[in-house]
Amino acid sequence: MKRYIFPVALALSLLVGSISVQASEEGGLPAAGTNVHDQASLQRGAKLYFNYCVGCHSLKYMRYERIAADLGLSEQEVMQNLNFTGAKFGEPVISHMPEASAAAWFGKAPPDLSLEVRAKGADWVNAYLNSFYLDPSRPVGWNNTVFPNASMPFPLWELQGLQTAEMKPAKPGEDAQVEKLVLSHPGKLTPAQFQQATRDLTSFLEYASEPAALERHAYGVWVLLFLAFFTLLAYMLKKEYWKDVH
């Protein structure tokens, strides 16, 4: 037994270390509270994405057909309510915004969001969506506390309303920093409703970053049961082989 203790302890320490590193990389942001197994949340997030985001951002690794299968939607529901580009059911989600025009308007073409959550984390994406504020000094009139000087206009402003920034008193030679954001003009949703909306949108983007996770998590239980059964079988076989040795 002693020779197995060290490898198991090493594996557990590496797992805990990787989790702590990931948490530190998120920068102590508030937890997004996403749940990719909540199908209703994914459906609401898909609705938000296709109504407010797909005009600029593609999901080139996702196909309408796959979204329908994973989110429990029919082909008719997807094509009527989520497909605004005229793409076929089996084609990927591609924005119709020309890259050259987008680069001229925003300084660079809007990025594809297929792997956004995998790259930056759900907490970061959710915090980013909640941190836009009016800034007349910026070319598009918006700024963001999570990603300062972002060149992206805020597509969800009608839902959240208009946030303004209260600045900290700046010391000589230092730039002014945002102390807090204030909702100066309410939107169509209450603050709690808007937080739920951004959580749903982040959940959908988290699903889009790894759609196979839905199936992988379902298979995981059966894999663990198989390993447990195989371990028991191997132990019984070992005892049978070694019973006449001593």
Side-chain angles (χ1 to χ4, degrees):
M1 287 296 294
K2 290 183 178 180
R3 62 180 177 179
Y4 297 113
I5 293 177
F6 177 73
V8 172
L10 178 61
L12 289 175
S13 65
L14 290 174
L15 176 61
V16 173
S18 65
I19 293 174
S20 63
V21 168
Q22 182 179 0
S24 64
E25 288 177 351
E26 298 259 342
L29 295 170
T34 55
N35 181 8
V36 296
H37 299 287
D38 185 346
Q39 193 174 81
S41 176
L42 295 182
Q43 291 175 353
R44 295 192 298 267
K47 179 180 178 181
L48 288 167
Y49 179 85
F50 284 98
N51 277 279
Y52 292 96
C53 306
V54 78
C56 299
H57 298 281
S58 299
L59 291 174
K60 63 182 180 182
Y61 298 122
M62 287 298 304
R63 298 180 182 274
Y64 293 96
E65 184 178 16
R66 179 64 185 268
I67 293 174
D70 289 341
L71 271 60
L73 302 172
S74 67
E75 178 178 353
Q76 182 179 3
E77 288 173 328
V78 169
M79 298 304 283
Q80 287 185 353
N81 301 313
L82 302 182
N83 184 357
F84 305 124
T85 64
K88 296 180 180 179
F89 188 53
E91 291 182 340
V93 180
I94 303 296
S95 171
H96 267 191
M97 177 178 287
E99 288 192 11
S101 299
W105 297 334
F106 304 115
K108 61 181 296 186
D112 180 271
L113 297 183
S114 300
L115 302 176
E116 189 72 7
V117 172
R118 288 289 298 274
K120 297 179 179 177
D123 295 348
W124 189 96
V125 172
N126 186 68
Y128 174 71
L129 292 173
N130 283 273
S131 300
F132 279 90
Y133 64 94
L134 291 172
D135 185 352
S137 67
R138 297 296 301 156
V140 294
W142 293 94
N143 209 330
N144 191 285
T145 57
V146 174
F147 187 18
N149 299 326
S151 58
M152 171 181 162
F154 186 36
L156 305 178
W157 69 270
E158 289 184 317
L159 301 180
Q160 184 187 34
L162 304 178
Q163 289 193 136
T164 54
E166 292 187 0
M167 311 301 291
K168 296 180 181 178
K171 297 180 181 179
E174 293 184 356
D175 295 331
Q177 295 182 348
V178 177
E179 183 172 16
K180 65 177 181 178
L181 298 179
V182 178
L183 186 64
S184 58
H185 190 282
K188 295 179 179 179
L189 303 180
T190 65
Q193 290 172 334
F194 182 75
Q195 288 181 3
Q196 180 62 55
T198 57
R199 186 178 302 115
D200 294 336
L201 179 54
T202 305
S203 292
F204 175 73
L205 291 175
E206 184 176 358
Y207 149 76
S209 294
E210 191 183 2
L214 298 180
E215 297 178 355
R216 177 166 53 79
H217 292 168
Y219 293 149
V221 176
W222 297 104
V223 171
L224 292 175
L225 290 175
F226 168 78
L227 290 175
F229 172 76
F230 182 79
T231 301
L232 177 62
L233 183 63
Y235 174 74
M236 295 174 64
L237 186 62
K238 176 258 184 186
K239 289 193 67 175
E240 182 66 24
Y241 279 144
W242 286 83
K243 68 179 182 180
D244 298 327
V245 171
H246 300 293

